[in-house]
Amino acid sequence: MATTVRRALLTLPAAPLGPENPLPALRAPDGVHALDERSREGLPRDTARQIGYEPLRSLLPVRELDGYQRQRTEQEFDSIVIENEHLRVTVLPGLGGRIHSLVHLATGRELLYRNPVFQPANFALNGAWFSGGIEWNIGATGHTTLSCAPLHAALVPAPDGGAMVRLWEWERLRDLPFQVDLWLPGDSEFLYVAVRVRNPHERPAPVYWWSNIAVPEDEGTRVLAPAEEAWHFGYERSLRRIPVPQWEGADRTYPLRSEYPADFFYEVRDGDRPWIASLDADGRGLVQTSTARLRGRKLFVWGAGAGGRRWQEWLTEPGTGGYAEIQAGLARTQLEHVRLDAGAEFSWLEAYGALSADPSAVHGSDWAAARASAEAALAAALPRQRVDEAYEAWRGCADTEPGERLAAGSGWGALEVLCGGYKLPGTPFPESTLGDAQVPWLELWRTGVFPAPRRAAPPGPGLVAPHWRDMLETARADPLTEYHLGVAQWRAGDVAQAVRSWERGLALAPSRWPLLRCLAAADGLAGDRGRAADRYAEAFEDLAQESRGSAEWLAAESALGREAMAALLAADRLAQARSVWDRLRPALRDQGRFRLLAARLLAAEGHVVAARRVFEDGFELPDLREGDETLSEVWAALTDRPLPPRYNFRMRPPV
């Protein structure tokens, strides 16, 4: 059977993504993956250096995606299906290029954890993320900002003369283009995935990459990798070297034998073949291997505790089996970023397929024998030399220009390529992909003037790279230009200049709330809670008067209302917080985040019973962040009763 590639529609119960948050992300990313300083002692030298190398300090210019809810209806998703006689691969180009399904045709077995619903949750760096399949994480520690974004996709001739699917985009946190090429040789039992990340700039860039593979888990699931030690990272934010497989009285290579969510980064020795496999009680499952560049291997477990189980339910639907993640990355741990020199590139090849090994060895007490059994089965199914040969063959196709287009990504790459004059063979970013979001920035580049909007609306997305900041600094100093200039200066770490730009813009701005909100955020981060509260209250009042009530305006009201109420409560400005609540539209008051704020406000006003009733009546926080303990903290302030299970999302032992 020759390999075929076709378009298809995938229908899933799905929650809508909703609009982007129009407020620039001025706060630093949360510290869920930050490392306790005491854990740095005793780390390998390269790991310690790379943990300290260019950690992400801002999400700018990316916007947060937090407008999703939890009401699901049937929705169709564009997909690309690659199939030969052994495997069927379903790819979702509109959702980060995620591989949704990998079916072993001879047995009908789904090798991945395939989520039966599309339910966004707050796990990506910028918010919306969903579980299941294989995702391509580029940018910085965490799930990529492209988790729910469209990628460019097209057909390219494969090394064996067949068809290859190319996915590519411009990653905006680090300003780096990347590509993911997927192909199935006609007689192959393994899917090949070749990845390339390029740095077209005249300066080095930090690179982060982890391929995350969701696999089904049950009591018989065991994860194997060529390692005798691992680095354990939990939500206590400590990193410590532990033995594999036994640690603290349990075999941690079985995902359900941990209580709390945790990462296990395996210590794969230099020169050893990099691979990782998840096998069931019968010794069958999925294996992933790669060329040497992709050195890291990791197991993520939700654990068997109440919090981890609740998260698993939250990400799918009741009655669905759980999952673990096996992962592969550029560094030893996910806390690291790797330097990519100016004009250079990283590339490698991965392979995914079914594996069957002797179950008595796989699940025996002898760890060396268990992993040797899996490694021997891998060597028989896919020799290491064949992976290296496939990589070398792919390198001759990496620059091949795409043919038939299958999907379109964003226009940001086209803008950067046009303005920077970059040459990126194999990954074209044509001007035809430029959209409304890029138009004002294109005019700034061409004319030196940032155009005034044609209609009243919240400000569009900004750009913050040095060349864009330079253009804004020399452009005409009108309020909108000062607003965007302040955001770019903020991203550069020049807080004082950012504040001055926003204050200059405020003096003449017909729409004051965007600038007031930026100044309020600056006050809050500077520790001036009182002035931050005053500015937030003024900003929300201004927005409420100006809002037209459309979807983009409602997104602004929701985002600013949440920030304003939180700041007012922190400053003990209860009357002003109540005023913001009274100005909220009824539809916004019913949202989970505002129900929680209502409970906090009632408690602060002395109405503890009414505040507790908000919890008892029930609400959901669609955008609850991983590691966020707000629900348990507010509940504990209201009562000494146990936290109801529906609100228990704890990812670490109680402190």
Side-chain angles (χ1 to χ4, degrees), residues 195-241:
V195 181
R196 177 166 63 167
V197 181
R198 287 187 276 193
N199 180 8
H201 307 294
E202 296 179 353
R203 63 183 186 280
V207 173
Y208 171 93
W209 184 282
W210 281 80
S211 301
N212 290 10
I213 309 126
V215 290
E217 69 167 8
D218 57 29
E219 292 292 344
T221 301
R222 192 178 204 186
V223 171
L224 301 103
E228 296 179 353
E229 293 182 311
W231 296 89
H232 172 272
F233 183 77
Y235 286 81
E236 306 90 341
R237 302 178 185 175
S238 62
L239 188 64
R240 49 185 163 170
R241 191 193 295 258

Side-chain angles (χ1 to χ4, degrees), residues 300-322:
F300 167 75
V301 301
W302 283 107
R309 296 297 94 191
R310 182 71 178 108
W311 272 116
Q312 295 241 35
E313 295 172 358
W314 187 253
L315 295 171
T316 181
E317 61 183 3
T320 302

Side-chain angles (χ1 to χ4, degrees), residues 170-177 198-206 340-344 416-417 420 422-424 465-468:
W170 190 279
E171 200 286 312
R172 301 179 67 211
L173 290 179
R174 304 300 197 182
D175 266 339
L176 299 176
R198 287 187 276 193
N199 180 8
H201 307 294
E202 296 179 353
R203 63 183 186 280
L340 180 58
D341 289 332
E416 294 296 344
V417 167
Y422 303 122
K423 304 299 181 185
L424 299 169
H467 55 284
W468 293 109

Side-chain angles (χ1 to χ4, degrees), residues 48 110 123 137 162 197 272 301 309 355 379 385 453 524 529 649:
E110 173 61 69
F123 278 74
N137 284 295
V197 181
D272 285 357
V301 301
R309 296 297 94 191
L355 190 71
Q385 181 181 353
R529 290 186 173 183
F649 292 89

